[in-house]
Structures are given as C-alpha cells and as structure tokens.
Amino acid sequence: MDTDLGYWIIPLAIIGGAIRVSTPFLFVSLGEALTERSGRINLGLEGTLVFGAMSGYAVAYLTGSPWLGVLAAALCGALFGLVHGVICSLPRVNDIAIGIAMMILGMGLAFYFGKPFVQPVAPDLPAISFGWWSDIPQVRAALEVNVLFLIGAGLAVLLWWMLRATRVGLTLRVVGDSTDAARAMGLRPALIRTCATAVGGAFAGVGGAYLSLYYPGSWNEGISSGQGLMAVALVIFARWNPLACFGAALLFGGAGALGPVLQSVGVSEGYYLFFAAPYVLTLGVLIATSSPKRAMTGAPGELSITK
Amino acid sequence: MTMQFGGFTALDDCSIRIAPGSFHALLGENGAGKSTLVKCMMGFYRATSGEMLVDGREARISDPKAAHALGLGMVYQHFTLVPSLTVAENLVISREDAPSVIDWRAEGADLQTFMDGMPFQVPLDQPVRALAAGEKQKLEILKQLYLGRRFLILDEPTSVLTPDEADEVLSHMRALCQKGAISVLMITHKFREVTAYADAVSVLRRGKLVGGGKVAELGHGDMAALMMGDAQLAQPAPRSGTRGVEVLELNDIKAQDRTGLKGIRIDKLRVHAGEIVGVAGISGNGQMELMEILSGQRPCQSGQIRVKGSPYSATRREAHRHNIRFLPEEPLHNACAPRMSVSDNIAFRSFDTDGGVWLSGRRMRSRATRLVDQFKVKTTSIDAPISALSGGNVQRAVLARELSGDVDLLIISNPCFGLDFSAVSEIRTRIMQARNAGAAVLILSEDLDEIMELTDRVLVMSEGTITYDAQTAEADIATIGRHMGGHL
C-alpha cells in the first residue's frame, strides 16, 4: 500500500490536529463563556489549566485510572473558580487583577506539587478510532478521536440549549446583562457569579487533564502554551455563544497544528513562524473584532471590559 | 410611617390611604421622601416606625418578596428589563415559578393569550434592546400584570415617554383601575398627569405629608403651593439683545450611531450669536451622538462643521480659539475627573494656556476660590475630590469653569437632569445670562418644558435626523410631541 500522500497530508494533518489540539481550547473557552455570561472575567483559567493538568496526571498515576484523574482535575478547577468567585464578590475587588493573581498562583502551586510526577508515566485517556474504514495510517491517525473531545462537543450543545431554554440559563443571562434587573427579581448576583466561575473553573481543569493525560500526554512545566489565555480571546471571537466556541476552538486547534505539520512534510525553513499561527490568529481576531465606534453586540452588559 | 437614616429623617410620620381601584398620585420635589415611602412599602427599607395595612390586615414586609406575595408590584423609573433577552424571555424569567426547563412552544402560546387580553401589545420575540422607550415602559407594566400584581407603584413612569405615549400608557392604566383590576400609586411631579388621570393626590415636602385630597377639588395652584412651600425660585433672566451673526454651522453631517446599525444625518443646523437653539427628542434618537460629534468624540463620515465661518474639527486648540464651551450630560462622568479636587477640575479649561511649562498652584487655587464663591458651589474645601459633591454642585462647578471668560458658543446636553428645583432654576438663569451676553447656545434636552422655557428656536431630533424646526414662540407642543414620537 502506498502511504505517500504528498502534500495531501497537510489538510489531513490539520484536521487531525484540529481535533487533537482543540480540546483544551474547547473546555477552557466553554468555561470562560459560562463565567463571562454571568458578568465576570476569569483570567486565571491558564493557572487552573496547568493545575488541572498536574492534579489529573498525579491522581491518574496514583490510582491507575485516567478518569479519576479527570475528576480530580475538575474538582481542583472548581476550587480555583470558587476562590476567584468568592474574592471577587467582596466589595471593590477587580476581577481582572484577581484573575492574574490566580493564574500565577495556579501555575506556581502546580509546579511545586508536580515535581515528583515529571518522571512517572500515568495511563492515557482512551480514544475512539473513527478511521477503521481506511487503510491509510495517516487517515487512521487523524481520526483517532479522544472521548473528552466528544464530551466537549456535547457540552457545547448542552450549554447552548441551557442558556436558551432553562431557568438556570436565563437566570445566568439576566445576572450577566443587568445587575439591577437581577436584584429587582430577587436574585443574588454575587452568588450566581461565584457558582458560574466555579463551574467554569471545573471545565478548565478538565481541559488541563486532557493535556497531561492524552495530548501531549505527559506532565512537565511547559505543558501549556497559553491555551488558557487564548481561550479568553476565543470567547470574544465566538461572541459568548457556546456553539461558536466549538467552531473557534477547532479553528485555533487547526492553526496550532500548522507548525508541526509543515515540519513533518519536510519544510525545513520558516516553520517556526507557523508555530506562532495561533498567537497571530489571536491578535488578528482581536484587531478584526474591535471597533472604536460601536459597542460590542452580544457582549454581556455587566462585563468589566465592555462597560 | 417614619424612616430615619442616622440623624436624618427622610420620612416623618406619613399616613396615606389608597382605596381599591383608585389611581393615587404622590407629588413632591426631589428629595421630598417619595422614593423612601415606596421603598418602605416594597420592603427595600424597613421603616423606623409605623405600619402598613393591606386589605385591612396588618402586613409585615421584610423584603420585596413578601411585598410581591401580597400582590404589590413596582415599576421603576429606570428599566429593570434585561436588554439582551427577548420580551418573552424577560416575562418568563421574572416569574417566581419559572419552570426549570422551559417549553417555549407552550409558554409562547400562554403569553400570546395573556397579551391578547391586555389593552396594549408588545412584540414577544423582539429583544428588549430593540424596543422604544415607550414600549419598554409598557412592557414593565405588562410584566407586573403578568405576575398577577394588583397594586402597582409607578415611579415617574412618563419621564422617558413622549407626551402622546405618556397619555396612551396612563389612560390604559386608568381604564384598568376603573375596571377594578388594579389600584395604582404613581410618583410624579407633573401636574398635568395628576389632573388628567389621578383620582386622589398626596403631597410630600421634606419628608412630611403636607396635604392632599380629591384631585377634582384641587387646582394646579394649590398643588404647586403645597409642593414648593414658601421657597422662592429665581425667575429665568429676561431675554434681551438681538440675534447676531451665525456662529455654529453644520452641513450634511453623516455619522454612525452608538450601535453602528443606524446613521446620524444632519443636513443643516445653524446657531446664531445671542440665541438659544434647543434640540428636543426622546433619548436614543441621536442627541448623544450629535453631542459627541460636536465635542470631537465621534468621527464624521462626511459633512462639515464650521465655527464663525472657518472649518472646525473639534480640537482643543480650536475650541480655545473660538471660545467654545461644553456642558455635557452627567457632568461628573463626562466633564470631570471624579477623584481630582474641585480646584483641579476647575482648572481644566485653562491650565495649559496661562503660564508656561510649570503650573501655578497658587493661581489655580485663587481662581477656584473665586469661582466657587461666585457660583455658590457648596463644598467642604476646594481640595475635596469633586465626586464628593452633590449633583447640583458638580453641575455648578462645571458651569463655573465653562462660563468664566468670554463665551462665544456654548453646547449643552441635559443640564438639569436629576437636579432639584433651586439648582435647576439657577442653572437656567446662568444659561440665559450667557445668551444675553451674546453667546450662541445649543442645548440638547429630553425635558420639553426646559426647551420651551429657555429656547428661542426649537428643533426636534428623531431617528438621527432633525425633523422639525420652528421659532419657540410659534411652536405647538402637540406638533413637537408628534415629531418626537416619529408619528408625522
């Protein structure tokens, strides 16, 4: 069987890469979308992601079950979100400053507790192969889809439905759009925002577990390349819509796969430039969606950056 | 009922009785205690002493939820609707028993049935953001009815409506009262609404109930006397001088509005020396954008602004050369640096022109002291942060800054919004004095009474364009109202 696909390998690998690389983006951006829809920004998700990666890897190694690792990562993430939420509920506290502090705290704690787990090997999360119909190994490799990706996709649809047609979802949108209206309805905005931040943190933790337990699949200090921060830009790009978050995560994942792909087909010069594709994309997206003249449509009204 | 905040008595032993099915008006100046009274009734505050009876039974109201359970509902002056949600979503989520999973088909049908039974309609699938102010106010009232409230407190419900819209909403409310479906307590300071729609009235002044009774037995004069007490109001300065040369000239201006969806188009606008031109209109029809264009905060897509014949691009240098002064709305946010001192804020207009590289602290302070004195700004010291001043005093301080020295063109937006009677009349007097001294004045205001009182010429802005232009003396309120509402 001829497995030399020539330059066809580029789109194929981008699709594969999009599926593989996008999962952390997807989870973090869904978490951030949920938090921002409640009217707060959590910039600390980068730290939550790294701590989730560490705690997930550690628990998976100690118990032998990757799923327990994911659960631990989610719990740790929720705890980080809860701390952020509670601190931001105090008067005169700025959510962005707390977010940055939480980011640095999360990474610091992860490196501190994670030292003993750099060497050991933890079990990987299972993947489902959708490439069984093909004989070409590259196609098979590209269509190796991790269960967490599928869960994330389902979650995007679920969140979209929740925001539209459930009491919880509508309450969240009310709180995010107008504190006054929420108070007049007898809701407690600070409590709801704290809960939303905690759930958002749990999502980011799961995104971290994916990094250490599937792709790249090991724990080290350089495990995250800023996915947690880029997810914030991604949420703006996706206009706070969970379904659009899914699309945007795929796009960013695909861009992230560009560098390695070019390297693998033998482009020896300049591929470093393509490693930067996601960052360039982030900048491009932020510039393209900015406008000095009109207010952002779809932005939750209570968000501190859009006020 | 009595309500004390620390040593200050906001509400002093007030008793009011409202008969079922009646339309009761609560009159009073700003700070007379009207809001305090209704907030005690709704459970936002707990009254220091006194009691409330509902249907003859004593009601203990510890929070708004308890008030809602008794069928008491309040329509706020500021909208409590959620802008990005649709009308239907707003209604459903406001219900105590909103289902955890919403079946939109069934809810939609229920809401349609409810709407069909109401005297006025609001489109259910529109986001609230897209509704006009009148529709939002109607929706606020519909929401209370949808929630099954039968005693409604309306807090200045017509302050954001055109005269026609106000009449429509209030006559529907009155009809519902007469049917016995609801009782209404309306906070207002518009006599016209009281005489036209209310059955009974209570008047508050400085926290005390000073009078009231059947509206049929009271005249405007009686009510005004009760409301104002013996306070003397400064009369607006008499007009003098004649219309001079053209100062401000706008030709074929086009710009985008705040949402970026609609356009602002001003084909022709002229302001002459020694005249006040007023721009009336409901908020959100482009007045704010016009102000931003004139102050250089919003770029024009095309067109030209000329001041005294030469092109004007709203730079600080040009404003200085032509003696152009601004008084934007909400001066604390738009014309001050809130945390800087009164003296620094007063120096903003002149600090970079008098003296060289170094600022003269002594000159700034002596100037501030003089102006604070002259404009009667009440402040603990000129070094206090300007945000510590009351709204009226912030406005006075800004006015002091903007009106000192020669003024050739004065551009003003809603100068008296939220201020009390005495501050209002004083500020209007100052504006009139500037006009009489030969300044060209352009005033944008949502308060039609203010426009009619101050201006020589009145324009109406609707949907981003100027749709009406007349001499104020010859203008007809009803025609202006129709243009404001966009019904031609």
Side-chain angles (χ1 to χ4, degrees):
Chain A
M1 185 72 213
D2 183 18
T3 55
D4 185 16
L5 296 171
Y7 283 100
W8 275 107
I9 198 164
I10 297 176
L12 192 62
I14 288 178
I15 293 169
I19 294 173
R20 216 169 323 117
V21 180
S22 65
T23 309
F25 281 123
L26 178 60
F27 274 93
V28 179
S29 66
L30 286 180
E32 186 67 22
L34 195 68
T35 308
E36 291 192 14
R37 271 298 181 101
S38 81
R40 255 193 212 143
I41 292 181
N42 185 358
L43 282 186
L45 290 188
E46 173 75 14
T48 313
L49 182 87
V50 174
F51 197 86
M54 188 284 294
S55 56
Y57 196 77
V59 170
Y61 167 69
L62 294 174
T63 63
S65 158
W67 290 111
L68 282 179
V70 171
L71 185 70
L75 286 177
C76 291
L79 195 67
F80 269 90
L82 203 62
V83 171
H84 181 280
V86 168
I87 296 176
C88 287
S89 302
L90 302 173
R92 292 182 189 221
V93 171
N94 180 287
D95 52 355
I96 290 176
I98 296 299
I100 292 172
M102 291 297 292
M103 172 169 83
I104 293 166
L105 177 74
M107 292 199 288
L109 285 179
F111 298 159
Y112 177 73
F113 290 115
K115 269 277 180 287
F117 299 101
V118 175
Q119 289 296 332
V121 177
D124 268 0
L125 282 166
I128 300 170
S129 180
F130 285 97
W132 45 266
W133 48 269
S134 172
D135 295 330
I136 307 167
Q138 281 91 339
V139 173
R140 285 180 167 236
L143 293 179
E144 192 88 349
V145 177
N146 188 274
V147 180
L148 273 187
F149 176 80
L150 299 174
I151 294 177
L155 216 52
V157 178
L158 189 76
L159 281 184
W160 171 78
W161 173 80
M162 185 195 90
L163 287 173
R164 205 182 65 86
T166 66
R167 181 180 175 153
V168 177
L170 280 189
T171 308
L172 197 73
R173 284 167 62 194
V174 169
V175 170
D177 213 41
S178 165
T179 307
D180 285 343
R183 289 232 177 81
M185 263 173 221
L187 299 172
R188 291 170 60 193
L191 182 73
I192 292 165
R193 287 187 184 135
T194 304
C195 293
T197 315
V199 175
F203 284 13
V206 174
Y210 177 90
L211 283 177
S212 61
L213 292 176
Y214 185 72
Y215 183 82
S218 65
W219 159 247
N220 59 62
E221 297 194 352
I223 189 148
S224 158
S225 45
Q227 282 99 330
L229 281 174
M230 274 189 285
V232 177
L234 204 146
V235 170
I236 298 172
F237 177 51
R239 291 269 173 269
W240 294 270
N241 177 347
L243 287 186
C245 280
F246 180 63
L250 280 181
L251 186 69
F252 273 59
L258 210 54
V261 168
L262 288 178
Q263 197 180 9
S264 72
V265 295
V267 177
S268 54
E269 275 175 50
Y271 65 85
Y272 286 111
L273 218 54
F274 289 96
F275 273 110
Y279 311 103
V280 174
L281 194 64
T282 308
L283 269 182
V285 161
L286 287 180
I287 292 168
T289 53
S290 73
S291 162
K293 277 176 262 173
R294 59 196 150 75
M296 230 183 291
T297 47
E302 289 294 329
L303 226 48
S304 53
I305 44 161
T306 54
K307 255 192 205 169
Chain B
M1 234 173 219
T2 298
M3 180 77 210
Q4 289 174 329
F5 296 105
F8 173 68
T9 306
L11 195 62
D12 191 1
D13 197 19
C14 282
S15 298
I16 291 180
R17 195 178 166 281
I18 297 153
S22 72
F23 195 124
H24 197 104
L26 191 57
L27 261 175
E29 271 197 75
N30 284 334
K34 297 168 301 194
S35 301
T36 311
L37 175 65
V38 296
K39 279 181 178 163
C40 287
M41 290 171 67
M42 289 299 296
F44 288 102
Y45 299 152
R46 208 165 301 177
T48 315
S49 66
E51 58 170 11
M52 181 160 89
L53 302 177
V54 177
D55 290 337
R57 239 170 289 152
E58 190 179 348
R60 289 203 177 278
I61 306 233
S62 50
D63 57 38
K65 270 191 182 160
H68 294 162
L70 283 166
L72 271 59
M74 180 152 172
V75 176
Y76 301 87
Q77 198 173 356
H78 306 288
F79 296 120
T80 59
L81 299 164
V82 185
S84 68
L85 266 59
T86 65
V87 170
E89 285 174 331
N90 263 293
L91 287 174
V92 169
I93 195 63
S94 64
R95 237 162 58 194
E96 293 282 314
D97 63 335
S100 46
V101 172
I102 298 158
D103 176 0
W104 278 116
R105 197 169 300 169
E107 291 292 346
D110 282 356
L111 283 169
Q112 200 54 57
T113 327
F114 165 75
M115 276 290 180
D116 291 343
M118 286 294 129
F120 42 91
Q121 313 288 322
V122 177
L124 281 170
D125 51 354
Q126 288 275 330
V128 166
R129 176 177 346 107
L131 297 181
E135 284 183 306
K136 283 186 199 165
Q137 190 63 275
K138 282 185 212 165
L139 178 58
E140 288 278 4
I141 292 167
L142 283 175
K143 187 171 102 181
Q144 297 299 325
L145 298 173
Y146 174 72
L147 295 174
R149 313 270 158 81
R150 56 207 167 82
F151 183 91
L152 294 192
I153 299 171
L154 310 179
D155 188 358
E156 301 200 13
T158 58
S159 57
V160 290
L161 305 185
T162 64
D164 282 352
E165 281 174 330
D167 283 338
E168 191 199 340
V169 169
L170 290 179
S171 57
H172 285 311
M173 297 306 289
R174 184 169 168 77
L176 285 169
C177 284
Q178 281 167 343
K179 270 203 306 190
I182 52 171
S183 315
V184 170
L185 175 65
M186 176 174 76
I187 297 183
T188 183
H189 48 227
K190 293 183 186 161
F191 296 133
R192 191 184 69 83
E193 289 170 1
V194 176
T195 30
Y197 299 103
D199 304 313
V201 61
S202 299
V203 185
L204 289 182
R205 173 157 39 93
R206 293 196 196 127
K208 287 201 176 71
L209 185 70
V210 288
K214 291 251 183 293
V215 170
E217 296 159 11
L218 288 167
H220 278 197
D222 300 330
M223 285 191 271
L226 285 171
M227 195 163 140
M228 320 277 281
D230 40 12
Q232 284 298 311
L233 292 179
Q235 291 299 310
R239 282 161 210 275
S240 61
T242 49
R243 195 165 107 144
V245 294
E246 205 166 86
V247 176
L248 177 69
E249 180 184 344
L250 266 70
N251 290 315
D252 302 316
I253 294 287
K254 277 193 191 128
Q256 276 201 322
D257 81 337
R258 218 147 244 244
T259 58
L261 302 175
K262 289 185 290 182
I264 305 293
R265 291 193 43 180
I266 294 171
D267 296 335
K268 187 170 170 239
L269 176 65
R270 302 277 184 274
V271 186
H272 294 257
E275 82 169 339
I276 302 184
V277 174
V279 179
I282 312 291
S283 65
N285 274 293
Q287 300 95 316
M288 199 194 283
E289 286 84 354
L290 175 59
M291 185 75 185
E292 285 172 348
I293 289 169
L294 290 171
S295 59
Q297 291 164 291
R298 178 170 294 271
C300 293
Q301 290 163 327
S302 67
Q304 200 180 31
I305 307 175
R306 298 173 85 87
V307 174
K308 297 184 203 163
S310 51
Y312 173 70
S313 53
T315 59
R316 186 170 170 91
R317 187 188 297 262
E318 284 170 337
H320 203 268
R321 193 173 69 223
H322 295 306
N323 294 324
I324 303 174
R325 302 302 173 86
F326 293 96
L327 201 60
E329 61 186 2
E330 292 188 62
L332 184 61
H333 298 288
N334 295 322
C336 296
R339 286 185 196 176
M340 287 172 78
S341 72
V342 174
S343 130
D344 288 347
N345 271 288
I346 285 179
F348 280 171
R349 188 55 72 190
S350 56
F351 74 97
D352 55 349
T353 51
D354 45 56
V357 178
W358 305 107
L359 297 182
S360 161
R362 196 186 310 151
R363 192 157 350 130
M364 273 162 61
R365 292 176 60 87
S366 70
R367 185 185 160 79
T369 313
R370 182 166 53 79
L371 286 174
V372 159
D373 220 41
Q374 196 183 329
F375 280 77
K376 303 191 195 92
V377 184
K378 275 184 214 135
T379 171
T380 48
S381 108
I382 57 165
D383 299 315
I386 197 153
S387 58
L389 272 55
S390 73
N393 285 311
V394 171
Q395 186 68 288
R396 282 192 190 103
V398 173
L399 210 58
R401 175 178 87 202
E402 299 293 317
L403 289 184
S404 57
D406 291 331
V407 181
D408 292 340
L409 175 59
L410 183 60
I411 297 170
I412 307 174
S413 174
N414 287 321
C416 300
F417 190 76
L419 304 185
D420 63 33
F421 265 111
S422 59
V424 166
S425 66
E426 195 186 314
I427 282 161
R428 288 182 185 164
T429 309
R430 299 269 183 199
I431 294 171
M432 191 58 86
Q433 277 167 358
R435 168 203 180 272
N436 292 343
V441 182
L442 177 67
I443 174 165
L444 295 92
S445 176
E446 284 156 34
D447 181 350
L448 195 51
D449 294 339
E450 178 168 85
I451 298 250
M452 298 312 283
E453 180 187 327
L454 283 177
T455 61
D456 300 291
R457 203 146 58 79
V458 56
L459 314 176
V460 174
M461 205 164 172
S462 169
E463 299 285 332
T465 58
I466 288 172
T467 56
Y468 180 81
D469 182 348
Q471 295 297 321
T472 308
E474 295 153 15
D476 166 41
I477 290 272
T479 318
I480 293 177
R482 272 204 305 284
H483 280 89
M484 281 166 72
H487 315 292
L488 301 177

